[in-house]
Amino acid sequence: MDMPLDNVLARLRFDVPPPPNPDSPQVLRRIAVLFTDIVSSSAYFKAHGDKAGRRLLARHERIVAAALAAQDGILVKTLGDAVMAYFPEPLQAVRAAVRIQEKTRRSNQRHGKERQMRLRIGIHCGEGIVEEKDIFGSVVNLAAKLVALAGGDEILATDALPGLRGPEAIVSVRPLSGPIAVDELKGLRIFRVLWDGEAGEIGPGGPLSSATKDAEAAPRALPGGGTSPDMHRAVRPGAEVPRQMHPACFYCGFRDHPTERCPSKRLAGPPLALRQLGYHPLEAIERSAAAKPGALPSGYGADLQIEEGKLSITQLVAIARLEILRVYQPGFLKNLWQSGDALSWDKLRAGSTAGGSGAHGGPLWLALDCLRTANRQRALALLAPFRSDPSTDPRCHGLLAMLDMENGDYPAAAINLKKALDRDQGQNTRIHLLLVSARLALMRREPLSAGSWLTEALRLLPGCPDACYLRIKEKFRTGMSGAAVNDLARLIENDREFFASVLIDPDFDPYRESIRPLLAGLHKKAREAAAAALPLADEAIKRLERLAGDNGKELGDLRAILENARRLAGRDSYCGNLDIDRLCRSIETAVKRSLAEKREQVLERLFDLTEACAALLAGAAPFSHRGAVRRIGTRILRIREEIEGVKRQLREEAAGFFKTVFDTVRNLEKETDRQSARLKWWAEYFGFEAFLWIFLKKLALFQAANLAIGLLILPVAAHYGNFLFWQDTMSGAQLWGYQKVALAGGVAAGFMLAVGGSLKEKGGK
């Protein structure tokens, strides 16, 4: 069955501003030009009429358009019963030609012999001038001459196509025999491509190698080749004529603009559109992705604030389709240069540049800005001094590779990427170069090379989401749908951004039947988890309110989170449902943490109370024979019993439990403080009493000694002294005076000694 043209013709996706110069600049590129022509179309019109003839042309155009779309061909124009197209890679032209003939043969099987269509195809490769809407040069003229030599069901190609012969050939060919009457073609070796299984003299047996057949069997999801206005109107009468199509843009994959004018160059921030798209219902995203794409909003660019509700879903889809491949775009490269390895790859993908340590300024930064503003000539001039220096900054080769890709020179881009990879660089920069190399290899139809680049990227960063995303696409294209679906499920579960990416990425369009059940299942799982989480979160808040009472701010914050989750439930979106589950779990965690903290606070206060009671009992032990202290001890023992009772209550949950417990603990603390104050007073009293008793005993002792000295020892000493030394010269009055002085001094000294001795003894106890 022929592929419907609606699925092949590129859709107008973005309102890309035209170049500043209204005259399209001429660019000299190496291209492969392909012409197709219907054999004996005039006789068909004459035999079957104009309407039947027009249907024949439409069938021809539909088959060619599908083949071009599968090989990234660019259809330039239709010339009545002929079609002119070109390809960036020569082997793409050969594959497209074989596909056209095979599709024509299958189409003829559904028609009678008299209404069958026979095509002839000519392919030549060389340098040509590529403009906005046309191509020129000798390569075009030679291809046109070549198709005239071909017979029905034949493909002729010149030896200017690399890979047509030798061990790397993908088809069998046979040299064209006989003289060549066309002067322009003399000197060229011309071969007939044996596409129908006929054995050839050069190259491997069979029309295409197995690897090529596998690539042909895998549908292409990128928008199809361009089409001329005549061809478009012929197949879709009354439809709007699309603008000229271009080769698939390296930065975004679409064909409605040249790579150098890709609107993704205005992306520099986080993927806000892709994030917001995940908060729309699954069906709404699918409808918007299938509908006519919305135009980018006015003022779109790095400074555009994508606020929730400000853009329509179709505009979000338009921007998000650019953001899917953001790691290959100049805006991401700028963030990478700013950050270096200061940030993780995931944070770079998220658009973060905080904490960047990369160098700023200089010619390379200016060249990057010129690349982003489509000033290619100025960028090349800035990079020229670095190209011949062996110690060139590897960033220079990365920029040169991007300029080569914008120019359609993929081989040169691959060489520059290899030079950049051969130099020592940070991990993030190396991962970026490996991913760019892998994408370039896929665009060149080199899946083995792409696989090796992706393997190296995954070795550096296991689970790298961008490498996994490309691998999943390749698994789908090579028929490994089961493994691809499993990998895609893991990728989406690890990074929910890819849910919306898969829904809107055109590369997945041919595999919707395999992917749709997965996405629906993930969405259903998220919805069920959200539905189960909401009542649990509500119950957790009620439990906190029941146990702790309405404590104001804490409950208010949790109720606000729950209300936000309920609003998300009304939208029934994948990311919204994931957020509901996450928010509800955060509520349950917050409630558990709050209750645990309250229990911990109660236990800490009870522990402090237990320690205080033990200290009070120890302090009351020396005075336990006193009635007042015994009463204090009895009360402390009762407090300890109440503490044990509160501990038992912690295992129960009654309404207002924590409020009651905290009130009880507060009362116990107050009672303990009162008993502590009483015990302290009594301890001080008993201490003073003990001191006073010691003091009085010592004072009595010292004063007794003082009296003995003053009244007994001193008179006897005076008597013998008077007799021996003073010759009875001391009178009784004089002796009494001495006695009074001795007694007064003894009283003072005895008092001081009693105080000092009492303090020392009291301190020692």
Side-chain angles (χ1 to χ4, degrees), residues 612 616 632 636 670-682:
L616 290 175
I632 293 175
I636 292 172
K670 291 179 180 180
E671 179 65 20
T672 303
D673 291 341
R674 283 196 299 269
Q675 298 304 321
S676 176
R678 290 182 61 192
L679 182 60
K680 183 178 180 181
W681 186 90
W682 280 109

PDB file of all heavy atoms in Angstrom, residues 612 616 632 636 670-682:
ATOM      1  N   ALA A 612      14.883  15.028  87.222  1.00  0.00           N
ATOM      2  CA  ALA A 612      14.669  16.011  88.284  1.00  0.00           C
ATOM      3  C   ALA A 612      14.103  15.352  89.540  1.00  0.00           C
ATOM      4  O   ALA A 612      14.515  15.664  90.672  1.00  0.00           O
ATOM      5  CB  ALA A 612      13.737  17.116  87.784  1.00  0.00           C
ATOM      6  N   LEU A 616      15.742  15.216  93.217  1.00  0.00           N
ATOM      7  CA  LEU A 616      15.034  15.694  94.404  1.00  0.00           C
ATOM      8  C   LEU A 616      14.987  14.630  95.488  1.00  0.00           C
ATOM      9  O   LEU A 616      15.171  14.912  96.685  1.00  0.00           O
ATOM     10  CB  LEU A 616      13.626  16.138  94.025  1.00  0.00           C
ATOM     11  CG  LEU A 616      13.511  17.426  93.192  1.00  0.00           C
ATOM     12  CD1 LEU A 616      12.072  17.669  92.785  1.00  0.00           C
ATOM     13  CD2 LEU A 616      14.048  18.619  93.973  1.00  0.00           C
ATOM     14  N   ILE A 632       7.381  16.028 101.092  1.00  0.00           N
ATOM     15  CA  ILE A 632       7.890  16.379  99.746  1.00  0.00           C
ATOM     16  C   ILE A 632       8.272  15.114  98.982  1.00  0.00           C
ATOM     17  O   ILE A 632       7.958  14.959  97.786  1.00  0.00           O
ATOM     18  CB  ILE A 632       9.094  17.326  99.879  1.00  0.00           C
ATOM     19  CG1 ILE A 632       8.644  18.675 100.449  1.00  0.00           C
ATOM     20  CG2 ILE A 632       9.774  17.528  98.518  1.00  0.00           C
ATOM     21  CD1 ILE A 632       9.785  19.630 100.733  1.00  0.00           C
ATOM     22  N   ILE A 636       6.885  13.705  95.325  1.00  0.00           N
ATOM     23  CA  ILE A 636       7.759  13.418  94.178  1.00  0.00           C
ATOM     24  C   ILE A 636       7.516  12.009  93.665  1.00  0.00           C
ATOM     25  O   ILE A 636       7.501  11.759  92.452  1.00  0.00           O
ATOM     26  CB  ILE A 636       9.231  13.619  94.588  1.00  0.00           C
ATOM     27  CG1 ILE A 636       9.493  15.113  94.852  1.00  0.00           C
ATOM     28  CG2 ILE A 636      10.175  13.118  93.502  1.00  0.00           C
ATOM     29  CD1 ILE A 636      10.857  15.387  95.432  1.00  0.00           C
ATOM     30  N   LYS A 670       5.467  22.053  86.567  1.00  0.00           N
ATOM     31  CA  LYS A 670       5.210  23.098  87.572  1.00  0.00           C
ATOM     32  C   LYS A 670       5.231  22.523  88.989  1.00  0.00           C
ATOM     33  O   LYS A 670       5.818  23.114  89.913  1.00  0.00           O
ATOM     34  CB  LYS A 670       3.861  23.753  87.296  1.00  0.00           C
ATOM     35  CG  LYS A 670       3.831  24.610  86.028  1.00  0.00           C
ATOM     36  CD  LYS A 670       2.450  25.211  85.818  1.00  0.00           C
ATOM     37  CE  LYS A 670       2.410  26.073  84.563  1.00  0.00           C
ATOM     38  NZ  LYS A 670       1.058  26.658  84.347  1.00  0.00           N
ATOM     39  N   GLU A 671       4.603  21.364  89.144  1.00  0.00           N
ATOM     40  CA  GLU A 671       4.574  20.740  90.468  1.00  0.00           C
ATOM     41  C   GLU A 671       5.977  20.338  90.915  1.00  0.00           C
ATOM     42  O   GLU A 671       6.358  20.516  92.084  1.00  0.00           O
ATOM     43  CB  GLU A 671       3.660  19.512  90.440  1.00  0.00           C
ATOM     44  CG  GLU A 671       3.564  18.764  91.762  1.00  0.00           C
ATOM     45  CD  GLU A 671       2.916  19.616  92.855  1.00  0.00           C
ATOM     46  OE1 GLU A 671       2.224  20.606  92.520  1.00  0.00           O
ATOM     47  OE2 GLU A 671       3.133  19.288  94.044  1.00  0.00           O
ATOM     48  N   THR A 672       6.761  19.828  89.975  1.00  0.00           N
ATOM     49  CA  THR A 672       8.133  19.467  90.310  1.00  0.00           C
ATOM     50  C   THR A 672       8.931  20.694  90.713  1.00  0.00           C
ATOM     51  O   THR A 672       9.734  20.656  91.664  1.00  0.00           O
ATOM     52  CB  THR A 672       8.801  18.775  89.107  1.00  0.00           C
ATOM     53  OG1 THR A 672       8.035  17.629  88.726  1.00  0.00           O
ATOM     54  CG2 THR A 672      10.215  18.331  89.449  1.00  0.00           C
ATOM     55  N   ASP A 673       8.727  21.790  89.998  1.00  0.00           N
ATOM     56  CA  ASP A 673       9.431  23.029  90.355  1.00  0.00           C
ATOM     57  C   ASP A 673       9.029  23.502  91.759  1.00  0.00           C
ATOM     58  O   ASP A 673       9.878  23.973  92.534  1.00  0.00           O
ATOM     59  CB  ASP A 673       9.124  24.127  89.324  1.00  0.00           C
ATOM     60  CG  ASP A 673       9.754  23.842  87.975  1.00  0.00           C
ATOM     61  OD1 ASP A 673      10.704  23.027  87.926  1.00  0.00           O
ATOM     62  OD2 ASP A 673       9.302  24.421  86.957  1.00  0.00           O
ATOM     63  N   ARG A 674       7.739  23.373  92.090  1.00  0.00           N
ATOM     64  CA  ARG A 674       7.292  23.787  93.424  1.00  0.00           C
ATOM     65  C   ARG A 674       7.931  22.926  94.504  1.00  0.00           C
ATOM     66  O   ARG A 674       8.416  23.429  95.532  1.00  0.00           O
ATOM     67  CB  ARG A 674       5.764  23.714  93.525  1.00  0.00           C
ATOM     68  CG  ARG A 674       5.039  24.872  92.838  1.00  0.00           C
ATOM     69  CD  ARG A 674       3.586  24.949  93.296  1.00  0.00           C
ATOM     70  NE  ARG A 674       2.851  23.735  92.960  1.00  0.00           N
ATOM     71  CZ  ARG A 674       2.181  23.570  91.820  1.00  0.00           C
ATOM     72  NH1 ARG A 674       2.168  24.542  90.904  1.00  0.00           N
ATOM     73  NH2 ARG A 674       1.526  22.461  91.596  1.00  0.00           N
ATOM     74  N   GLN A 675       7.928  21.615  94.293  1.00  0.00           N
ATOM     75  CA  GLN A 675       8.526  20.728  95.289  1.00  0.00           C
ATOM     76  C   GLN A 675      10.031  20.954  95.391  1.00  0.00           C
ATOM     77  O   GLN A 675      10.613  20.865  96.482  1.00  0.00           O
ATOM     78  CB  GLN A 675       8.230  19.267  94.936  1.00  0.00           C
ATOM     79  CG  GLN A 675       6.762  18.903  94.915  1.00  0.00           C
ATOM     80  CD  GLN A 675       6.066  19.221  96.233  1.00  0.00           C
ATOM     81  OE1 GLN A 675       6.636  19.032  97.327  1.00  0.00           O
ATOM     82  NE2 GLN A 675       4.836  19.720  96.157  1.00  0.00           N
ATOM     83  N   SER A 676      10.644  21.258  94.252  1.00  0.00           N
ATOM     84  CA  SER A 676      12.075  21.553  94.278  1.00  0.00           C
ATOM     85  C   SER A 676      12.357  22.806  95.085  1.00  0.00           C
ATOM     86  O   SER A 676      13.320  22.851  95.874  1.00  0.00           O
ATOM     87  CB  SER A 676      12.596  21.724  92.846  1.00  0.00           C
ATOM     88  OG  SER A 676      13.952  22.092  92.850  1.00  0.00           O
ATOM     89  N   ALA A 677      11.509  23.830  94.925  1.00  0.00           N
ATOM     90  CA  ALA A 677      11.707  25.069  95.695  1.00  0.00           C
ATOM     91  C   ALA A 677      11.510  24.805  97.194  1.00  0.00           C
ATOM     92  O   ALA A 677      12.281  25.314  98.030  1.00  0.00           O
ATOM     93  CB  ALA A 677      10.735  26.130  95.194  1.00  0.00           C
ATOM     94  N   ARG A 678      10.487  24.022  97.526  1.00  0.00           N
ATOM     95  CA  ARG A 678      10.259  23.713  98.943  1.00  0.00           C
ATOM     96  C   ARG A 678      11.435  22.953  99.536  1.00  0.00           C
ATOM     97  O   ARG A 678      11.902  23.243 100.644  1.00  0.00           O
ATOM     98  CB  ARG A 678       8.983  22.903  99.100  1.00  0.00           C
ATOM     99  CG  ARG A 678       7.700  23.691  98.813  1.00  0.00           C
ATOM    100  CD  ARG A 678       6.477  22.815  99.031  1.00  0.00           C
ATOM    101  NE  ARG A 678       6.405  22.353 100.438  1.00  0.00           N
ATOM    102  CZ  ARG A 678       5.586  21.403 100.857  1.00  0.00           C
ATOM    103  NH1 ARG A 678       4.782  20.796  99.968  1.00  0.00           N
ATOM    104  NH2 ARG A 678       5.546  21.055 102.128  1.00  0.00           N
ATOM    105  N   LEU A 679      11.875  21.950  98.798  1.00  0.00           N
ATOM    106  CA  LEU A 679      13.002  21.156  99.296  1.00  0.00           C
ATOM    107  C   LEU A 679      14.247  22.023  99.446  1.00  0.00           C
ATOM    108  O   LEU A 679      15.029  21.872 100.403  1.00  0.00           O
ATOM    109  CB  LEU A 679      13.270  19.987  98.353  1.00  0.00           C
ATOM    110  CG  LEU A 679      14.390  19.032  98.764  1.00  0.00           C
ATOM    111  CD1 LEU A 679      14.081  18.404 100.127  1.00  0.00           C
ATOM    112  CD2 LEU A 679      14.594  17.956  97.712  1.00  0.00           C
ATOM    113  N   LYS A 680      14.439  22.922  98.526  1.00  0.00           N
ATOM    114  CA  LYS A 680      15.596  23.810  98.612  1.00  0.00           C
ATOM    115  C   LYS A 680      15.520  24.679  99.874  1.00  0.00           C
ATOM    116  O   LYS A 680      16.525  24.878 100.576  1.00  0.00           O
ATOM    117  CB  LYS A 680      15.657  24.687  97.357  1.00  0.00           C
ATOM    118  CG  LYS A 680      16.863  25.601  97.315  1.00  0.00           C
ATOM    119  CD  LYS A 680      16.874  26.404  96.026  1.00  0.00           C
ATOM    120  CE  LYS A 680      18.085  27.329  95.992  1.00  0.00           C
ATOM    121  NZ  LYS A 680      18.106  28.152  94.762  1.00  0.00           N
ATOM    122  N   TRP A 681      14.294  25.183 100.158  1.00  0.00           N
ATOM    123  CA  TRP A 681      14.134  26.031 101.350  1.00  0.00           C
ATOM    124  C   TRP A 681      14.439  25.237 102.606  1.00  0.00           C
ATOM    125  O   TRP A 681      15.171  25.695 103.486  1.00  0.00           O
ATOM    126  CB  TRP A 681      12.708  26.582 101.400  1.00  0.00           C
ATOM    127  CG  TRP A 681      12.520  27.577 102.503  1.00  0.00           C
ATOM    128  CD1 TRP A 681      12.693  28.914 102.457  1.00  0.00           C
ATOM    129  CD2 TRP A 681      12.117  27.270 103.850  1.00  0.00           C
ATOM    130  NE1 TRP A 681      12.440  29.497 103.655  1.00  0.00           N
ATOM    131  CE2 TRP A 681      12.084  28.510 104.549  1.00  0.00           C
ATOM    132  CE3 TRP A 681      11.781  26.098 104.531  1.00  0.00           C
ATOM    133  CZ2 TRP A 681      11.721  28.601 105.894  1.00  0.00           C
ATOM    134  CZ3 TRP A 681      11.445  26.191 105.867  1.00  0.00           C
ATOM    135  CH2 TRP A 681      11.413  27.429 106.546  1.00  0.00           C
ATOM    136  N   TRP A 682      13.865  24.014 102.660  1.00  0.00           N
ATOM    137  CA  TRP A 682      14.104  23.188 103.845  1.00  0.00           C
ATOM    138  C   TRP A 682      15.565  22.778 103.947  1.00  0.00           C
ATOM    139  O   TRP A 682      16.131  22.703 105.043  1.00  0.00           O
ATOM    140  CB  TRP A 682      13.212  21.949 103.816  1.00  0.00           C
ATOM    141  CG  TRP A 682      11.801  22.217 104.254  1.00  0.00           C
ATOM    142  CD1 TRP A 682      10.689  22.234 103.492  1.00  0.00           C
ATOM    143  CD2 TRP A 682      11.379  22.510 105.585  1.00  0.00           C
ATOM    144  NE1 TRP A 682       9.574  22.526 104.236  1.00  0.00           N
ATOM    145  CE2 TRP A 682       9.974  22.707 105.549  1.00  0.00           C
ATOM    146  CE3 TRP A 682      12.038  22.647 106.813  1.00  0.00           C
ATOM    147  CZ2 TRP A 682       9.228  23.021 106.669  1.00  0.00           C
ATOM    148  CZ3 TRP A 682      11.291  22.951 107.938  1.00  0.00           C
ATOM    149  CH2 TRP A 682       9.901  23.140 107.862  1.00  0.00           C
TER     150      TRP A 682
END
